[in-house]
Amino acid sequence: MKISNSHQKGEVKILFIKDKKISQLTKTQKDTLSLLGFEGIGNIFIPENKTFVIGIDKSLQDFPNTLRDSLAQAIMSLKKLKIKSISLEAQSLQEIKEICEGILLGNYTFDTFKNEKNKSNLKEVYIHAPTLDKKAVDSLIAQIQIIANSVNTTRELINTPPMEATPEYIVNFVKNLSKEIGFECKVHNTQFLEKEKMGAFLAVSKASCHNPYLVHLTYKPKTSKKSSLKKFVFVGKGLTYDCGGLSLKPSDYMTTMKADKSGACAVIGIVDSLARLGIEAEIHGILGLTENMIGGNAYKPDDILIARNGKSIEVRNTDAEGRLVLADCLSYASDLKPDFLIDLATLTGACVVALGDYTMGIMGYNPKLKEDFLKIASSAGELGGILPFNPYLKKLYKSEVADLCNIPSSRYGSAITAGMFLGEFVAESLLQKWLHLDIAGPAYVEKSWGVNPFGATGAGVRACIEFVKQKA
């Protein structure tokens, strides 16, 4: 769908109503709305003069996603009409940003494997912004289209089923993407993992018939006006499927485990977008790609693994595998000595219990960095909640037979202890520069919400892109 800054009239005009104020409507329109029982909240189409009314609830006007969500809901209704274009007015750049995101993100559906595709005639959106600078508006629309496309690419990857989206599939996808855009893509195989002594990563991968990969993506601007560039490293958990290993999940909990690669897919989306935007920063993406399966050679509860940084880990539950893959990936990422290190992972169900389906957990040792990220994520349209690290919880993942245990001795606060466990593999000099984002809740939901349809959402992509834009 194409969005443009234009005075051209669409076949249907979008009209916003806030706080049930319908004074800007004609008498005929008011009479029609009254006849249809419209009370000023929600969406309704007036066929007589081809006007689509979006009523915004006063109680939600200060919520950062209200306009985005309203447009996303509207676009689903508008796609059912036999129209090719719509038009609407915007009063500020922020409004334009939210309108574009609502439309472009709300327009996505995963129908790749359906014979009957979701069809729509709607192709053009005209935004009228007569009081705003045309160049600024055009530039903003172009940026949002890049970011939304990256989010939707991330969604598509996550939604792709595990029979197809194997570690090799993700590798080939990102290799082709790197050639298209022009960033570097290094693919490291089992031999590299063995050379780097990534015993935790390798253990998780043992029972899969698919080889594991550590993929290192690097983007640097070809020319820069800055004498020195900030370095951002993003690390993503990429379990293309997770059955729980020998600590086998119940069958109900195996459904949706294709989404356990959401962290790695988000990192791909982040690098994709920042490279296309030509951001003035050095960006690295580290993907830990593998499967957690069962077999005669599977790693076992009671095993003791040696991670890349030399720490030993007692395995008590093979379904706590993501932290093992990330442990070695974070150790590798630490060697890059970044200014900011952020990992994204569908790590714990406990985070979903704490914050709900729609909110990512933000963790780390630097209070200001966590607060900054939370504020930036909110401005980007993503919900976050800070879970505080508590030094008393460290004893819960200590082991009697190794340096650490891969699960805590108590289930209480286990989203936090999982995050603190990851911190054991971040270089000490980087702990104040590191954030852990647990996206287990918002990454994949089986009911549509806001700008997100059924399935994958691309959680973390917009927040991290905006973080780089503000911190670079």
Side-chain angles (χ1 to χ4, degrees):
M1 192 177 298
K2 184 181 177 183
I3 301 179
S4 58
N5 175 19
S6 170
H7 290 286
Q8 189 169 338
K9 289 185 178 180
E11 293 175 59
V12 168
K13 180 182 179 181
I14 307 296
L15 192 63
F16 296 104
I17 294 176
K18 297 181 180 180
D19 193 21
K20 302 183 181 180
K21 293 178 180 177
I22 58 174
S23 57
Q24 66 265 52
L25 301 180
T26 65
K27 184 180 184 303
T28 303
Q29 289 173 330
K30 290 177 185 178
D31 290 344
T32 301
L33 292 180
S34 177
L35 181 66
L36 294 172
F38 182 73
E39 297 181 351
I41 297 174
N43 302 330
I44 196 162
F45 179 53
I46 306 175
E48 287 83 355
N49 53 11
K50 294 186 177 180
T51 301
F52 192 91
V53 179
I54 299 176
I56 298 175
D57 189 341
K58 181 181 179 181
S59 66
L60 296 176
Q61 284 182 31
D62 294 329
F63 184 63
N65 281 339
T66 299
L67 191 54
R68 293 181 179 96
D69 292 351
S70 298
L71 263 299
Q73 292 166 16
I75 210 70
M76 298 308 295
S77 299
L78 288 161
K79 285 165 65 175
K80 296 175 184 177
L81 303 177
K82 292 184 177 181
I83 57 171
K84 294 182 180 180
S85 63
I86 59 174
S87 57
L88 65 165
E89 292 187 5
Q91 307 302 320
S92 67
L93 290 177
Q94 183 63 26
E95 266 194 16
I96 290 173
K97 179 177 186 289
E98 293 176 13
I99 287 168
C100 291
E101 288 176 347
I103 291 171
L104 295 172
L105 297 177
N107 187 46
Y108 172 84
T109 55
F110 181 65
D111 58 6
T112 305
F113 290 83
K114 285 187 173 183
N115 284 321
E116 189 174 334
K117 307 294 183 185
N118 289 287
K119 295 178 181 178
S120 171
N121 294 315
L122 186 57
K123 304 297 180 186
E124 297 276 353
V125 178
Y126 305 120
I127 297 180
H128 304 166
T131 63
L132 303 177
D133 179 73
K134 186 177 185 306
K135 286 186 178 179
V137 172
D138 289 342
S139 175
L140 180 60
I141 291 174
Q143 287 182 42
I144 299 306
Q145 287 183 315
I146 287 172
I147 294 169
N149 286 339
S150 294
V151 173
N152 289 336
T153 295
T154 301
R155 291 169 166 179
E156 191 74 15
L157 271 179
I158 297 167
N159 283 326
T160 303
M163 57 183 262
E164 184 168 326
T166 62
E168 294 94 334
Y169 177 95
I170 304 296
V171 165
N172 290 331
F173 178 89
V174 77
K175 282 169 69 175
N176 290 333
L177 189 68
S178 69
K179 291 175 184 175
E180 175 191 339
I181 304 172
F183 60 82
E184 186 178 22
C185 175
K186 290 183 179 179
V187 179
H188 299 301
N189 59 17
T190 303
Q191 288 70 36
F192 176 87
L193 301 183
E194 290 170 345
K195 181 183 175 183
E196 290 289 312
K197 299 181 180 179
M198 294 186 172
F201 192 160
L202 285 164
V204 174
S205 310
K206 283 171 65 177
S208 174
C209 63
H210 298 286
N211 293 323
Y213 297 96
L214 185 147
V215 179
H216 184 167
L217 311 176
T218 306
Y219 161 77
K220 296 178 184 178
K222 293 179 181 178
T223 58
S224 177
K225 298 175 183 178
K226 296 182 180 180
S227 56
S228 61
L229 296 172
K230 289 280 182 67
K231 185 187 293 186
F232 298 79
V233 176
F234 296 95
V235 178
K237 173 188 171 185
L239 269 292
T240 57
Y241 193 73
D242 173 26
C243 74
L246 293 179
S247 304
L248 195 65
K249 294 177 185 289
S251 58
D252 288 350
Y253 285 84
M254 286 195 210
T255 308
T256 74
M257 277 299 103
K258 64 180 181 179
D260 218 18
K261 60 183 181 292
S262 296
C265 294
V267 171
I268 293 171
I270 292 163
V271 177
D272 172 43
S273 204
L274 292 172
R276 291 182 192 272
L277 290 170
I279 197 76
E280 291 273 304
E282 182 177 332
I283 310 297
H284 295 264
I286 310 300
L287 318 177
L289 303 173
T290 189
E291 285 184 330
N292 186 27
M293 299 297 287
I294 57 173
N297 61 338
Y299 82 119
K300 308 168 183 68
D302 280 346
D303 280 351
I304 296 177
L305 314 177
I306 309 299
R308 183 180 183 270
N309 69 348
K311 291 185 179 181
S312 58
I313 306 167
E314 176 192 4
V315 177
R316 287 199 165 216
N317 189 320
T318 63
D319 196 22
E321 86 300 327
R323 66 199 69 183
L324 300 177
V325 173
L326 285 173
D328 283 335
C329 290
L330 283 167
S331 172
Y332 175 88
S334 293
D335 289 353
L336 298 171
K337 297 180 172 57
D339 294 291
F340 297 98
L341 173 60
I342 299 177
D343 74 77
L344 300 93
T346 47
L347 204 66
T348 66
C351 193
V352 190
V353 172
L355 297 173
D357 282 329
Y358 314 118
T359 306
M360 75 175 80
I362 302 170
M363 291 170 252
Y365 287 102
N366 185 328
K368 185 179 185 305
L369 186 59
K370 289 185 289 186
E371 291 287 351
D372 284 353
F373 189 89
L374 176 60
K375 184 177 179 180
I376 290 169
S378 179
S379 73
E382 298 207 61
L383 304 181
I386 294 173
L387 297 179
F389 279 178
N390 180 339
Y392 296 116
L393 293 176
K394 274 194 173 187
K395 62 184 177 184
L396 298 182
Y397 57 86
K398 294 298 180 184
S399 167
E400 294 295 327
V401 296
D403 297 322
L404 307 166
C405 184
N406 80 321
I407 59 168
S409 57
S410 169
R411 65 189 178 93
Y412 300 113
S414 54
I416 297 171
T417 52
M420 293 175 70
F421 177 91
L422 293 180
E424 299 284 344
F425 303 91
V426 175
E428 190 172 351
S429 61
L430 295 174
L431 286 176
Q432 295 297 312
K433 303 176 180 180
W434 164 65
L435 288 175
H436 162 55
L437 307 181
D438 191 331
I439 58 173
Y444 190 99
V445 177
E446 293 189 275
K447 290 183 179 179
S448 62
W449 56 285
V451 299
N452 302 296
F454 174 99
T457 65
V461 175
R462 286 183 290 152
C464 290
I465 290 169
E466 188 63 28
F467 181 80
V468 174
K469 288 170 68 177
Q470 293 197 26
K471 295 291 185 178

